[in-house]
Amino acid sequence: MHDTRCRPAVLVHGGAGGSRQDEDGCVHAAESAMAALQRGEDALAAATAAVVTMEDDGRFNAGSGSVLCLDGLTVEMDAAVMDSRGRLGAVACLQGVKNPILVALAVAATPHWLLCGEGAERFARTRGFAHHYAVSEKSRNRHRQLIAQLHTDAAATYDVDNQEFMRFWNYDKPISAAVATPCDTVGAVTRDIQGNFAVAGSTGGSAPSLLGRVGDTPIVGSGFYAGPFGAVAVTGLGEHIVRHLLAHTVYQAIAGGMPLALALQQGLDRFDAQIDIGLIAVSRTEAGSRSNRSMPTALMTDDR
Ligand code: ASP
């Protein structure tokens, strides 16, 4: 008789531009996900477990490590989950929770797929998520550097004049006294023993940005996609990623039979080398990553 079971796989990233020295955080997250798969939990539960671990780590731009907005006070977070069984949930511009990925998972059980801002936060409270506000020392330092850079001529974000942020300023407070920050958003893709695929991603967004800015991370087909042929997670500059519907474009290539490494490379090749981009993907038989920056990752498979 045929063994129809699939080899479970987990692949986690810590963001395009993230430090390889933080790779142990990805390994820890991959271990959480693999433990969930080995307990018999499905691909979505495993991808979510990996991202919770990354959000709690504090070194990555997600959850407790999220970057500060330009006012030096606000933290706006985006997160999303999707699986090949049709579950889809996301939050955007969410404030005041510890694990946005768990709120995104809770949104997947509602009649909607995406909640944002105040409505997302109220939803989180009704689902029992306690208020949480924490800013890491790394985020405070980044913010100080960023504000300093915005007062120079060195563009803080690719192809955008620093003055644009002053021109469209929409925070309550004036800019105080404010280095392109790396895009160390987090993401995970998983394959479970039944052959289901899932993706989960979470970010504090990209800095500098105006209040209410949303990138690719919670946008289906741009920052993430999962279907019967695999799962893809993307990191990098959201304003550019959304224009290529990058996660879905790469997914379609994999679904069409292209080797996974080539599909990832073709996705990366769509972008100017100055734009931070990173991708991870898992298919029925493969898993891999590509980035034009340093990108911490961890891959784990269960070969038993
Ligand atoms: N893609 C994220 C965004 O633009 C940032 C990142 O990947 O680090 O919000």
Side-chain angles (χ1 to χ4, degrees), residues 56-104:
D56 290 344
D57 185 294
R59 289 174 293 173
F60 302 98
N61 175 17
S64 303
S66 293
V67 294
L68 273 167
C69 290
L70 281 178
D71 63 355
L73 284 174
T74 312
V75 177
E76 290 186 324
M77 299 169 287
D78 307 328
V81 295
M82 184 175 189
D83 76 357
S84 54
R85 298 156 92 181
R87 286 177 292 181
L88 171 64
V91 288
C93 288
L94 175 61
Q95 298 189 31
V97 301
K98 182 164 173 282
N99 293 111
I101 198 68
L102 294 178
V103 186

Side-chain angles (χ1 to χ4, degrees), residues 183-185 203 205-206 213 215-217 235-238:
C183 289
D184 45 4
T185 284
T203 186
S206 87
R213 177 263 184 196
D216 59 300
T217 306
T235 168
L237 201 46

Side-chain angles (χ1 to χ4, degrees), residues 138-205:
K138 184 174 173 184
S139 294
R140 290 200 190 285
N141 287 335
R142 275 183 175 184
H143 180 258
R144 277 191 283 273
Q145 286 178 313
L146 181 61
I147 295 292
Q149 185 171 354
L150 281 180
H151 284 84
T152 71
D153 289 337
T157 197
Y158 172 72
D159 210 22
V160 178
D161 188 319
N162 288 346
Q163 289 308 315
E164 295 288 283
F165 295 102
M166 321 299 178
R167 191 163 151 238
F168 296 113
W169 189 258
N170 65 347
Y171 293 91
D172 276 348
K173 293 200 168 59
I175 190 158
S176 46
V179 195
T181 55
C183 289
D184 45 4
T185 284
V186 307
V189 290
T190 52
R191 179 177 66 221
D192 67 23
I193 202 159
Q194 266 86 39
N196 302 307
F197 297 100
V199 56
S202 182
T203 186

